[in-house]
Amino acid sequence: MRVHHIKATEISSDTAQSEGLRRFAALSGRSVGSEKLWMGETHVSPETSSANHHHGESETAIYVRSGRPEFVFHDGVQEVRISTQPGDYIFIPPYLPHREENPDPVAPAEVVIARSTQEAIVVNLPQLYPLEASTRPGADPAPA
């Protein structure tokens, strides 16, 4: 049990990835022995969208450090787009399919991420679809 210091120059791209963005791990089970936390950052180039994906059982907290990334998910009726700016926070529930987009033609977007699992779970998906309570892994079946 000790305090670990990970310098900005020591973050690692050796973590789960999605097309269209780059994830960098700072704190994880592998790097510092964490048991319930993963933390790192994501960089999205200008005019780029990530692949559709979800993060399994992880709750995901996001802090927008720079740029104006957009977060897109499906609410069951249509795609919903959340536009952000530096200083904003986003929460993404477990298993929720989503994608990140950076519509800016010049500036990259960078966000800081914390997850409730010790490694970065990333499940890439062929399409964006709504998360229904009855189809969520581990959910109770709908009453008869």
Side-chain angles (χ1 to χ4, degrees):
M1 301 296 281
R2 66 183 189 90
V3 173
H4 292 267
H5 177 198
I6 306 297
K7 295 179 181 181
T9 57
E10 297 172 338
I11 61 175
S12 170
S13 63
D14 184 21
T15 189
Q17 300 291 338
S18 295
E19 185 176 335
L21 54 80
R22 294 292 297 156
R23 288 187 188 92
F24 298 91
L27 309 175
S28 67
R30 196 176 337 161
S31 67
V32 299
S34 65
E35 295 180 10
K36 299 178 183 176
L37 178 71
W38 182 95
M39 192 167 186
E41 56 190 62
T42 298
H43 301 185
V44 185
S45 296
E47 296 184 325
T48 302
S49 295
S50 75
N52 299 309
H53 62 279
H54 69 73
H55 300 291
E57 66 187 77
S58 291
E59 291 184 326
T60 301
I62 298 170
Y63 172 75
V64 179
R65 180 168 53 204
S66 65
R68 298 188 182 282
E70 296 182 355
F71 297 85
V72 183
F73 67 99
H74 199 291
D75 70 358
V77 176
Q78 62 187 0
E79 285 188 4
V80 176
R81 181 175 304 275
I82 298 173
S83 298
T84 66
Q85 60 186 1
D88 288 355
Y89 291 84
I90 294 287
F91 174 75
I92 299 176
Y95 300 101
L96 182 72
H98 64 282
R99 71 175 172 266
E100 290 91 32
E101 297 183 358
N102 180 7
D104 191 289
V106 178
E110 295 183 5
V111 302
V112 176
I113 301 171
R115 294 214 177 95
S116 62
T117 54
Q118 68 181 183
E119 296 301 334
I121 299 169
V122 177
V123 179
N124 291 306
L125 304 167
Q127 64 184 18
L128 198 62
Y129 57 84
L131 179 63
E132 298 176 21
S134 63
T135 60
R136 180 175 166 177
D140 292 332

